[in-house]
C-alpha cells in the first residue's frame, strides 16, 4: 500500500467548460526526451479549460510538496511533467482532470524510476558529509556538473578532449541530499539560470546557450554566429550575429531578454609576451576581449558594452597567456579580461560584470554605458577610471580572479572569490598553491560615498579543511532563511612545490591531479550542508561549475 503523498500539483487554465468525452486517454511516458531519466510525462488531448491535479505517492520517499507547474499545452495537447522523483523507487502517479469543479477523468500509473548509471565516469559521486534539512533553505539545489580527463588542457589527446567537452550534466538535489532530477547533455555545461517560465538556460562549451524544460526538451537555442565550428544541428537555433563566442553565465532580465558574454579577437600591437617579466620583448598579439550583450528571445541584440572600448588592454593579470582560448578554437589568442559573471540591478537599470583576469567587478549604467564603480584593487588603472574605484571601509580583502557577482535581496553584492595566484596580478610574486584558499564573500557598496565594506566571508583559510578553487564556482545569499550557499567547483590538491601556471612544464600543476567539487550551506555561521563530489578512484576530475537553490523543482 503506497502511503505517502510525494507531491500534489495543480494548474487551472481559465476558459470555457468541457466534457469528459472531449478528453483522450492518458499516456504515461518515462523519460520522453531521452535526457532526463528520473522524469516522466503524462500526455493527453483535451480543451484548454482544465484543472489538472497530479498526486505522486511512494512508501520509500520522504514526503515533499512541490507547488505550481508548467504544463505544456499546444493546440489542446497536454504534456504534464512528472518530476522530483528519486532513483530506484516505486511510485504511484495519479492524474485527475476537472473543469468548473466537475471531475472529467482520472487515472493511476505505477512507475519505478531507474538506477543512476553504474559507470563511475558517467555519473558524479555524491558524498553527503553534513546535512541538516530543518536548517537549510527550503527547495532543491540545481548544479551544473562537468568531468575532465587528467592532464593540462593543451596536452589532452583528441579522445581525452572529447571525453571532457562532449558531456555535461545538470543535477537537482532535494534537502536530504538525494538526486531528484538529472539531465544528460552532449556538451560540457557551464553557467545555468532559472528562467521566468520555469525552464533552465545553460551555456555550453560549444558557444551556445540552450533553454530546456524539465523533461529535457530543447525549447530554444542561441549560438555565436562566427564560432570556430559549424552551426548546431538544431535547425531552429538562432545565431547571435557578429560574435565568435557565447560563454560563461547567462542571465535573464525582468523583461525576458538575456545578458551574456561574447569574447572577440583583436590585434593589439607591441603587446606583452610574459606575465612575469615586464621587460620581456613585446610583439603584436591576438587578444580576446569580452563584450557584454543583451539580446531578445528572437536573437536581436538590444545593447552591447565592449571592454576594449572602456578599459586598458595593457592592465593584465596572471593567466593572460594560458591555453584557455587555444583549446577552444582560437590558437595562441591571449585571455585579457576573461569575463565570467553577469547580472542585473533593476533598482537603477545597471549591469554587474566580473572580469576574472582583471580581479575586478564593474557596475555599468545600461542607459549611458558609463562605468558607475569598480570593486577591486586600485593599482594599474588608467587615470580616467580612478574616480570609479570604490574606497574600502573597515577590514576588507579585495576579491581576486572572482566569479559570478550578484545583487542579493538586501541590495548587497555577493560573489565567489577564487583568489587565484593568491590575488597577485601579473609581474607580482604569487602565493604558493598549497597556501591558497577561496571563499564566498559579501560586500555592501555605498554609491553616494563611493565606498565598499565587507560584511560576510565563508573562509579566511584558517579552517581545518580549507578549499582552494582557482576557477568557476558560485555563492548566494538565500532569500527565505538568509543562509549562504557556496559552491566550490573543485578543491585543488595542496602539494608543496606545485605551480598554478599550467604553461610551466618544469613542475606539476593542478591539471595533473584528480580533484572534485564541494557544496556548502551556512546558517548563522554554522555549516548545515556539505556535499563532496570526487571520484574515489582518482581517475578523473569532477567539477561543479555552479548552481542555484530553487524554491521547488517546478
Amino acid at each position: 500500500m503506497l502511503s505517502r503523498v510525494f507531491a500534489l500539483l495543480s494548474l487551472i487554465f481559465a476558459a470555457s467548460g468541457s466534457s469528459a468525452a472531449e478528453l483522450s486517454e492518458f499516456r504515461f511516458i518515462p523519460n520522453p526526451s531521452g535526457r532526463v531519466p528520473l522524469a516522466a510525462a503524462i500526455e493527453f488531448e483535451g480543451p484548454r479549460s482544465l484543472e489538472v491535479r497530479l498526486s505522486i505517492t511512494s512508501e520509500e520517499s520522504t514526503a515533499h510538496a512541490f507547488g505550481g507547474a508548467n504544463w505544456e499545452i499546444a493546440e489542446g495537447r497536454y504534456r504534464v511533467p512528472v518530476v522530483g522523483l528519486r532513483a530506484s523507487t516505486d511510485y504511484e502517479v495519479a492524474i485527475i482532470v476537472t473543469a468548473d469543479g466537475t471531475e472529467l477523468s482520472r487515472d493511476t500509473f505505477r512507475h519505478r524510476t531507474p538506477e543512476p548509471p553504474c559507470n563511475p565516469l558517467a555519473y558524479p559521486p555524491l558524498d553527503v558529509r553534513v546535512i541538516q534539512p530543518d536548517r537549510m533553505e527550503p527547495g532543491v539545489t540545481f548544479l551544473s556538473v562537468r568531468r575532465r580527463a587528467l592532464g593540462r588542457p593543451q596536452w589532452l589527446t583528441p579522445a581525452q578532449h572529447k571525453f571532457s567537452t562532449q558531456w555535461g550534466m545538470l543535477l537537482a538535489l532535494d534537502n536530504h541530499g538525494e538526486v531528484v532530477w538529472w539531465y544528460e547533455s552532449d556538451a560540457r555545461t557551464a553557467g545555468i539560470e532559472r528562467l521566468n517560465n520555469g525552464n533552465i538556460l545553460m551555456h555550453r562549451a560549444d558557444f551556445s546557450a540552450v533553454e530546456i524544460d524539465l523533461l529535457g526538451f530543447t525549447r530554444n537555442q542561441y549560438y555565436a554566429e562566427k564560432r570556430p565550428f559549424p552551426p548546431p544541428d538544431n535547425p531552429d537555433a538562432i545565431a547571435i550575429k557578429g560574435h565568435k563566442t557565447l560563454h560563461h553565465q547567462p542571465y535573464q532580465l525582468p523583461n525576458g531578454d538575456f545578458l551574456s558574454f561574447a569574447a572577440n579577437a583583436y590585434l593589439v600591437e607591441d603587446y606583452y609576451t610574459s606575465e612575469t617579466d615586464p621587460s620581456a620583448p613585446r610583439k603584436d598579439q591576438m587578444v580576446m576581449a569580452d563584450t557584454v550583450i543583451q539580446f531578445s528571445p528572437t536573437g536581436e541584440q538590444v545593447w552591447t558594452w565592449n571592454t576594449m572600448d572602456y578599459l586598458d588592454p595593457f592592465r593584465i593579470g596572471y593567466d593572460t597567456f594560458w591555453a584557455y582560448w587555444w583549446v577552444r578554437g582560437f590558437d595562441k589568442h591571449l585571455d585579457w579580461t576573461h569575463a565570467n559573471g553577469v547580472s542585473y540591478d533593476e533598482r537603477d537599470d545597471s549591469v554587474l560584470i566580473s572580469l576574472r583576469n582583471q580581479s575586478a567587478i564593474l557596475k555599468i549604467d545600461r542607459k549611458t554605458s558609463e562605468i558607475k564603480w569598480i570593486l577591486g584593487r586600485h593599482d594599474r588603472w588608467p587615470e580616467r577610471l580612478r574616480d570609479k574605484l570604490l574606497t574600502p571601509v573597515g577590514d576588507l580583502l579585495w576579491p581576486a580572479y572572482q566569479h559570478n557577482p550578484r545583487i542579493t535581496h538586501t541590495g548587497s553584492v555577493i560573489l565567489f572569490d577564487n583568489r587565484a595566484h593568491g590575488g597577485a596580478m601579473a609581474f607580482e610574486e604569487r602565493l604558493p598553491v598549497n597556501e591558497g584558499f577561496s571563499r564566498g564573500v559579501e560586500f555592501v557598496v555605498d554609491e553616494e560615498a563611493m565606498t565598499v565594506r565587507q560584511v560576510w566571508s565563508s573562509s579566511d583559510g584558517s579552517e581545518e579543511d580549507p578549499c582552494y578553487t582557482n576557477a568557476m564556482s558560485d555563492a548566494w545569499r538565500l532569500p527565505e532563511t538568509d543562509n549562504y550557499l557556496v559552491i566550490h567547483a573543485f578543491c585543488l590538491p595542496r602539494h608543496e612545490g606545485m605551480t598554478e601556471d599550467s604553461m610551466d612544464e618544469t613542475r606539476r600543476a593542478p591539471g595533473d591531479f584528480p580533484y572534485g567539487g564541494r557544496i556548502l550551506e551556512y546558517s548563522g555561521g554554522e555549516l548545515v550542508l556539505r556535499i563532496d563530489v570526487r571520484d574515489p578512484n582518482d581517475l578523473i576530475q569532477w567539477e561543479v561549475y555552479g548552481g542555484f537553490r530553487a524554491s521547488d523543482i517546478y
Side-chain angles (χ1 to χ4, degrees):
M1 178 69 179
L2 296 168
S3 59
R4 292 182 175 172
V5 176
F6 178 77
L8 181 61
L9 310 168
S10 65
L11 188 64
I12 300 174
F13 298 93
S16 60
S18 57
S19 68
E22 295 173 313
L23 295 181
S24 70
E25 291 186 356
F26 299 113
R27 300 177 297 277
F28 188 89
I29 305 171
N31 192 10
S33 70
R35 293 193 177 276
V36 188
L38 290 185
I42 299 176
E43 296 184 354
F44 65 97
E45 288 80 41
R48 297 177 63 85
S49 55
L50 299 175
E51 177 183 314
V52 181
R53 299 173 65 240
L54 193 65
S55 173
I56 307 171
T57 56
S58 170
E59 287 182 339
E60 301 172 34
S61 296
T62 302
H64 301 287
F66 300 120
N70 283 331
W71 310 152
E72 178 192 349
I73 306 175
E75 298 178 355
R77 293 192 297 272
Y78 286 72
R79 178 183 286 153
V80 181
V82 181
V83 294
L85 312 181
R86 294 178 175 177
S88 308
T89 303
D90 292 306
Y91 290 98
E92 187 176 90
V93 182
I95 183 170
I96 305 99
V97 177
T98 62
D100 298 329
T102 301
E103 182 177 312
L104 303 180
S105 184
R106 70 165 61 209
D107 205 345
T108 300
F109 302 90
R110 290 183 177 271
H111 173 60
R112 181 169 180 82
T113 51
E115 297 181 357
C118 59
N119 181 352
L121 304 181
Y123 190 79
L126 303 174
D127 180 11
V128 180
R129 306 283 295 276
V130 176
I131 192 160
Q132 298 183 44
D134 293 341
R135 297 185 61 189
M136 293 167 56
E137 178 92 359
V140 293
T141 306
F142 283 83
L143 303 170
S144 174
V145 180
R146 300 125 69 96
R147 67 186 186 190
R148 188 193 295 270
L150 294 184
R152 307 183 200 188
Q154 66 270 28
W155 293 351
L156 298 183
T157 68
Q160 288 176 311
H161 188 263
K162 180 179 179 180
F163 175 85
S164 302
T165 62
Q166 296 186 22
W167 183 94
M169 183 172 284
L170 307 185
L171 290 177
L173 309 180
D174 66 16
N175 271 21
H176 296 264
E178 295 281 351
V179 175
V180 293
W181 181 90
W182 84 78
Y183 169 84
E184 298 170 351
S185 171
D186 57 3
R188 187 173 176 83
T189 56
I192 54 175
E193 167 82 350
R194 193 71 184 267
L195 302 183
N196 298 333
N197 61 10
N199 292 342
I200 294 173
L201 183 68
M202 59 181 166
H203 269 321
R204 310 195 322 167
D206 59 3
F207 301 137
S208 73
V210 179
E211 177 187 347
I212 62 167
D213 63 22
L214 291 175
L215 294 175
F217 290 104
T218 296
R219 293 304 173 202
N220 289 292
Q221 183 171 8
Y222 307 92
Y223 69 99
E225 178 193 30
K226 296 184 177 182
R227 67 184 191 169
F229 23 86
D233 292 335
N234 178 5
D236 298 321
I238 298 171
I240 305 300
K241 301 292 186 181
H243 295 292
K244 298 179 179 180
T245 69
L246 286 179
H247 64 90
H248 280 84
Q249 183 73 31
Y251 188 94
Q252 186 177 37
L253 294 167
N255 69 354
D257 287 355
F258 302 107
L259 291 173
S260 182
F261 290 120
N264 296 290
Y266 296 84
L267 178 65
V268 180
E269 297 178 351
D270 197 32
Y271 203 67
Y272 293 114
T273 59
S274 170
E275 59 192 11
T276 58
D277 180 7
S279 61
R282 306 281 189 96
K283 69 176 183 179
D284 297 351
Q285 299 261 47
M286 294 302 296
V287 173
M288 295 295 276
D290 284 290
T291 295
V292 190
I293 59 174
Q294 175 186 344
F295 61 90
S296 71
T298 60
E300 177 189 0
Q301 292 184 67
V302 177
W303 178 79
T304 63
W305 191 90
N306 190 339
T307 54
M308 191 61 80
D309 294 336
Y310 292 88
L311 305 181
D312 177 10
F314 288 87
R315 184 184 192 270
I316 67 170
Y318 281 106
D319 298 331
T320 299
F321 298 92
W322 64 350
Y324 184 86
W325 289 113
W326 304 10
V327 299
R328 289 164 172 81
F330 299 94
D331 189 40
K332 301 300 189 290
H333 285 48
L334 306 186
D335 192 13
W336 168 45
T337 48
H338 196 103
N340 63 7
V342 61
S343 57
Y344 180 69
D345 190 347
E346 59 184 320
R347 298 172 303 173
D348 59 0
D349 192 23
S350 294
V351 175
L352 209 64
I353 66 170
S354 168
L355 303 179
R356 178 189 188 272
N357 289 356
Q358 295 291 299
S359 287
I361 299 97
L362 280 62
K363 190 175 186 183
I364 303 159
D365 188 307
R366 204 179 62 83
K367 288 188 177 69
T368 66
S369 291
E370 293 300 314
I371 297 172
K372 299 191 73 168
W373 49 252
I374 300 172
L375 197 169
R377 290 173 44 160
H378 285 203
D379 53 328
R380 307 188 192 181
W381 295 98
E383 181 68 32
R384 57 187 167 80
L385 292 178
R386 289 180 185 171
D387 64 342
K388 307 296 185 182
L389 297 166
L390 295 173
T391 300
V393 174
D395 187 14
L396 180 147
L397 181 65
W398 289 121
Y401 301 88
Q402 69 292 319
H403 202 247
N404 271 352
R406 296 181 175 90
I407 301 296
T408 73
H409 62 281
T410 68
S412 59
V413 177
I414 193 166
L415 54 94
F416 189 91
D417 185 12
N418 299 84
R419 309 208 55 74
H421 309 286
M425 294 291 283
F427 315 124
E428 298 176 345
E429 185 176 354
R430 289 182 275 191
L431 191 72
V433 176
N434 60 299
E435 297 180 19
F437 75 97
S438 304
R439 60 181 184 155
V441 63
E442 182 181 16
F443 299 99
V444 171
V445 174
D446 184 331
E447 296 190 353
E448 290 188 6
M450 287 292 287
T451 61
V452 58
R453 181 166 48 91
Q454 180 179 306
V455 295
W456 176 81
S457 174
S458 66
S459 172
D460 61 6
S462 64
E463 62 266 36
E464 182 178 343
D465 186 19
C467 183
Y468 178 39
T469 310
N470 66 350
M472 301 175 276
S473 310
D474 244 329
W476 296 84
R477 183 172 175 177
L478 302 172
E480 184 172 328
T481 59
D482 266 335
N483 287 0
Y484 291 93
L485 177 66
V486 178
I487 300 171
H488 290 263
F490 50 81
C491 299
L492 292 181
R494 307 178 71 84
H495 295 301
E496 187 173 351
M498 67 183 285
T499 178
E500 200 169 335
D501 181 1
S502 63
M503 310 306 290
D504 184 350
E505 299 182 10
T506 67
R507 290 192 288 168
R508 302 293 297 275
D512 304 328
F513 295 92
Y515 55 58
R518 184 181 295 178
I519 300 103
L520 306 172
E521 184 173 345
Y522 299 87
S523 176
E526 183 179 346
L527 194 65
V528 296
L529 174 70
R530 174 175 169 175
I531 300 177
D532 291 352
V533 187
R534 181 182 171 122
D535 179 10
N537 300 304
D538 285 346
L539 295 176
I540 64 173
Q541 299 164 346
W542 283 106
E543 299 173 347
V544 184
Y545 180 95
F548 58 85
R549 177 72 49 79
S551 58
D552 63 61
I553 196 166
Y554 282 95

